[in-house]
């Protein structure tokens, strides 16, 4: 049983304990989580997937990510913004995604909002909420990793103010972790600082 500190992975290198439950997690942890993500469509995808994850395990979303990408036109904002009621019904019948009407509606509605923004606006808004690294302690155990921060609360508020749905402070912080705005890899984790 882990005390929340980094544990040896399949190759012997220490990793965040959450990353060791499946091979899918090891790859995601080592190659994606905490690495900087830029670009409006790429960030829109992460925002949508974090919303779909709400109330579920991330592995559920990770294993269906390709299904989500196929169902939502690669998360190209302009394409999803053009989805019709027939597209929404198609999505509700798609076994490759999480068939939650409220989350599907929010995904389409958010694309319609973002389609009105100038290129780079979503990227700029999200990345304007990067916390000052000097104010953050390097987490030694999972207990040191917050679920919500002042920055994630501010980001959620800013997104909601612009009409973005299904994003709260916890979802916003998960987005910040996943997209490299913060580095929450544990102090002794092999991936710590890899995004720099």
């Amino acid at each position: 049983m882990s005390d929340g500190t980094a544990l040896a992975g399949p190759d012997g290198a220490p990793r965040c304990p959450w990353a060791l439950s499946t091979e899918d997690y090891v790859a995601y942890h080592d190659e994606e989580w905490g690495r900087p993500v830029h670009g409006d469509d790429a960030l829109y995808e992460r925002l949508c997937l974090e919303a779909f994850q709400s109330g579920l395990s991330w592995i559920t979303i990770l294993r269906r990510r390709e299904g989500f990408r196929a169902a939502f036109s690669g998360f190209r904002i302009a394409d999803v913004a053009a989805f019709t009621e027939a597209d929404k019904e198609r999505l509700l019948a798609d076994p490759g995604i999480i068939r939650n009407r409220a989350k599907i509606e929010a995904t389409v509605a958010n694309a319609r909002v973002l389609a009105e923004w100038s290129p780079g606006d979503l990227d700029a808004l999200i990345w304007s909420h990067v916390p000052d690294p000097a104010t953050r302690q390097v987490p030694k155990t999972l207990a040191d990793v917050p679920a919500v921060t002042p920055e994630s609360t501010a980001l959620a508020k800013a997104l909601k103010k612009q009409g973005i749905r299904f994003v709260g402070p916890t979802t916003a912080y998960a987005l910040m972790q996943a997209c490299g705005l913060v580095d929450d890899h544990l102090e002794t984790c092999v991936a710590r600082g890899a995004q720099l």
Side-chain angles (χ1 to χ4, degrees):
M1 184 168 174
S2 171
D3 59 0
T5 58
L7 298 174
D11 59 359
R15 287 177 176 80
C16 302
W18 64 263
L20 300 176
S21 60
T22 72
E23 288 181 21
D24 296 338
Y25 266 164
V26 173
Y28 176 71
H29 169 274
D30 289 3
E31 299 164 19
E32 293 185 60
W33 193 75
R35 308 244 176 162
V37 174
H38 285 283
D40 293 340
D41 289 342
L43 288 165
Y44 168 67
E45 174 183 338
R46 301 321 192 281
L47 189 62
C48 293
L49 293 178
E50 292 295 347
F52 272 101
Q53 185 271 331
S54 182
L56 302 170
S57 167
W58 178 245
I59 196 67
T60 302
I61 304 302
L62 190 60
R63 288 181 174 160
R64 293 182 181 185
R65 186 164 55 173
E66 291 310 314
F68 275 105
R69 287 173 173 165
F72 286 99
S73 300
F75 288 101
R76 290 181 297 277
I77 293 168
D79 292 351
V80 179
F83 277 16
T84 64
E85 289 304 314
D87 287 309
K88 293 177 189 176
E89 292 305 315
R90 168 184 58 81
L91 292 167
L92 283 168
D94 188 337
I97 67 169
I98 303 301
R99 295 174 284 185
N100 177 296
R101 185 177 295 276
K103 293 176 182 181
I104 290 169
E105 292 279 355
T107 300
V108 175
N110 290 345
R112 291 177 179 160
V113 168
L114 295 172
E116 300 298 317
W117 294 17
S118 297
D121 280 357
L122 179 61
D123 191 298
L125 175 66
I126 289 174
W127 280 88
S128 72
H129 289 81
V130 174
D132 178 355
T135 66
R136 295 180 52 83
Q137 292 186 339
V138 175
K140 293 178 173 41
T141 72
L142 292 180
D144 298 330
V145 178
V148 173
T149 64
E151 294 84 5
S152 75
T153 301
L155 174 57
K157 184 176 180 181
L159 288 167
K160 284 182 181 179
K161 185 176 180 182
Q162 296 296 325
I164 301 300
R165 294 163 39 185
F166 234 102
V167 59
T170 303
T171 299
Y173 193 66
L175 176 76
M176 293 171 75
Q177 291 174 305
C179 295
L181 281 74
V182 296
D183 184 355
D184 276 344
H185 287 286
L186 300 183
E187 183 177 50
T188 58
C189 175
V190 67
R192 174 92 194 155
Q195 82 273 27
L196 301 176

